[in-house]
Amino acid sequence: MAAPDVHLCGNICCGVVLSAPLLRCSKCHRVCYCCRACQTQAWKAGHKRDCGQVAAVRRVQGELTNRQKELCIKVNNLYTARNWRGLVALEATVRAAAAQLRETRPDFIAEIYGMLGTGYSQLGQYTEAIELSEQGLAIAVEAGNRLGERRAYITLGGCYKQLGQYAKAIKLHEQSLAISEEMSDRAGQGVTCSDLGCCYEKLGQYDTAIDLHEQCLKIKEEMGDRASQGATFSNLGVCYESLQQYDTAIGLLEKAKLILQEVGNRVGEAQTLAGLGRCKTALGKYAQAITCHTEQWAITQELDLEPDQTSVALYLGVVVWAQARVEHGNAATAFTTPSASGHPAAYMDSMRDAAQWFRTASCLAQTHGFVCENESAQLHLSFLAFDTGEEEEALVLLKEYLQAQVDSARSFCRGCCQQRGDDAPMLTCGGCSVARFCNEDHQRMASKKGGRKPVRHKDVCSLLRKWRQVVKGKATAESCSPDLLAFLRRDLWWRCHAPVAADSGAGARD
């Protein structure tokens, strides 16, 4: 047996005696390796499973009572199991323990606050997540706990990304990346490259985003982390979709789908199917798009993913209608039994199917308080009613849409569709004086073509300006009807959803 001060490589297939400096696991700090290859092999062989438990034991050693040790282990187990509701339910207990241990065990408090912050973030409760993570960060910095610092930066960066504050998120993720590089933690570097890539993608800086995702992919391939490879292929696919390089995006998303199915990541599979469906729709491959979104719908039903159910219902309404426009919309004269609106019967059947999906999306959105999704469904239904000859119904729906836009203007960004506090600093559109945006990037995003949006903001801006006068009592709703009808006759829906050429090069990288 080796002497107590002698370290053996933690890869059981190696077992060589190590000499300083040691390559130590950055999470549990208990296991050392002779090289990166042995570390990767040991991770795959079981250390990935054992590491969290070892780290938990390490964290509870020291001046902790048995009850405090039990609390630490319970929090760690809930965190590892991704039981976020169970985790945040312990907040009061954790705060009581923190009051007792703030001076003697700041490392313990920083770690446990970090886990709670992550739990709230995963539940979409970003205010609580930011508060706990900032407290954990302050304690970690004071205690010199670099791992705790990194956890806080990751969680805070994720929260600010979800809130659309991408510049702040990028700064936080860069601080996380610096710590990972300092600790030679390749896994941490990969995670942070992915987070940064997603932020730059949201800012429309696709070249930077792609470079970061490719760095992440290289690291995940080195580590043999199949699940993260699948997620990274999906992120790359979204970037190329945004560049309108749809064939390239589809290739990446197909790779992602296969890997995510292999590792059993159903949520990731649903998100990848959404991207595939959007790309197929953009290329006019409607039957394939319907297949993708139908599979996505089945997964969202199975897992009860409420926001995704609303999104996929909108996607299905769009693609069913687009398919009908191509197959039947211009062929009314070729049919012997056209509808009263002048469209063939088959087209009207498809319109009823599309309308049902839009109504499903609206119902889900109203039930769960998804304001932007409900407004989108209303406008889709208005265009559809006008297309099928129901002019009065179209006008009613369009007026409801405009009123909803005005009512929710103060609290929603029309670029990212995220809710903001009434006192949050936002830009106001100079054209309509109604729409608001987190920043100039989001203002540009609002006028970008495609997706679930029925039209771009630039298309509806002048109508909102007129409707604002109705709301202020300076005009009547009836006086706006000619403008509303002119808007509907422009067929803006089809301009935003007509198919494009494959990999047309729009927005392509140099």
Side-chain angles (χ1 to χ4, degrees), residues 25-320:
C25 175
S26 62
K27 183 174 182 181
C28 69
H29 297 274
R30 287 291 186 87
V31 185
C32 301
Y33 304 94
C34 65
C35 63
R36 292 284 180 199
C38 276
Q39 186 175 16
T40 300
Q41 188 173 353
W43 184 261
K44 295 179 185 178
H47 185 60
K48 177 180 180 179
R49 178 188 64 251
D50 301 332
C51 187
Q53 298 172 357
V54 174
V57 171
R58 177 178 175 272
R59 284 194 294 271
V60 300
Q61 288 181 337
E63 303 300 323
L64 297 182
T65 66
N66 288 335
R67 180 169 293 184
Q68 289 163 348
K69 291 179 182 180
E70 290 171 2
L71 174 63
C72 184
I73 293 172
K74 185 174 183 179
V75 168
N76 186 77
N77 288 341
L78 289 168
Y79 179 86
T80 303
R82 302 176 68 84
N83 184 348
W84 309 122
R85 295 192 186 281
L87 179 60
V88 302
L90 295 175
E91 181 183 354
T93 307
V94 168
R95 287 189 181 276
Q100 298 171 353
L101 296 166
R102 176 68 176 82
E103 298 300 325
T104 59
R105 289 303 305 272
D107 57 331
F108 167 72
I109 301 307
E111 285 289 311
I112 213 164
Y113 270 22
M115 291 182 185
L116 275 175
T118 300
Y120 275 116
S121 175
Q122 292 294 325
L123 293 171
Q125 299 179 39
Y126 302 118
T127 301
E128 294 87 347
I130 289 171
E131 178 193 352
L132 281 160
S133 297
E134 286 181 341
Q135 290 178 26
L137 175 61
I139 296 169
V141 170
E142 181 183 329
N145 181 348
R146 298 292 274 166
L147 281 173
E149 278 188 64
R150 186 179 67 178
R151 184 198 298 278
Y153 287 136
I154 290 171
T155 302
L156 286 167
C159 289
Y160 284 113
K161 171 182 171 289
Q162 291 299 323
L163 292 171
Q165 299 183 40
Y166 301 119
K168 186 176 287 189
I170 287 169
K171 183 177 180 180
L172 289 158
H173 285 312
E174 286 175 342
Q175 290 173 287
S176 167
L177 181 60
I179 295 175
S180 294
E181 290 173 342
E182 170 192 318
M183 301 172 69
S184 299
D185 180 358
R186 292 290 281 166
Q189 292 173 44
V191 168
T192 308
C193 283
S194 176
D195 291 336
L196 283 166
C198 290
C199 289
Y200 280 108
E201 183 267 325
K202 290 295 185 182
L203 289 172
Q205 298 181 33
Y206 302 118
D207 286 356
T208 303
I210 288 169
D211 289 340
L212 285 159
H213 287 313
E214 287 176 345
Q215 289 179 48
C216 173
L217 183 62
K218 181 180 179 181
I219 293 169
K220 297 307 179 182
E221 287 174 341
E222 287 175 9
M223 299 178 61
D225 185 346
R226 293 288 285 167
S228 295
Q229 289 174 45
T232 306
F233 277 124
S234 185
N235 289 334
L236 283 165
V238 170
C239 289
Y240 281 102
E241 176 194 353
S242 298
L243 288 168
Q244 298 183 28
Q245 298 184 35
Y246 297 114
D247 285 335
T248 302
I250 287 170
L252 291 161
L253 291 166
E254 290 286 5
K255 287 182 181 179
K257 178 185 171 186
L258 290 174
I259 295 173
L260 294 168
Q261 287 175 334
E262 172 192 322
V263 301
N265 185 345
R266 298 285 278 164
V267 174
E269 182 184 351
Q271 293 169 344
T272 300
L273 285 165
L276 281 168
R278 292 192 302 267
C279 291
K280 302 282 189 181
T281 300
L283 294 175
K285 299 178 180 179
Y286 300 120
Q288 294 176 34
I290 289 172
T291 298
C292 290
H293 288 312
T294 302
E295 291 178 16
Q296 181 194 3
W297 175 258
I299 295 173
T300 61
Q301 292 284 98
E302 173 193 333
L303 302 181
D304 197 24
L305 305 175
E306 294 166 354
D308 295 303
Q309 288 173 22
T310 308
S311 298
V312 72
L314 286 171
Y315 288 139
L316 279 164
V318 167
V319 69
V320 168

Side-chain angles (χ1 to χ4, degrees), residues 316-330:
L316 279 164
V318 167
V319 69
V320 168
W321 188 4
Q323 182 182 44
R325 284 289 295 258
V326 170
E327 293 183 355
H328 306 296
N330 298 319

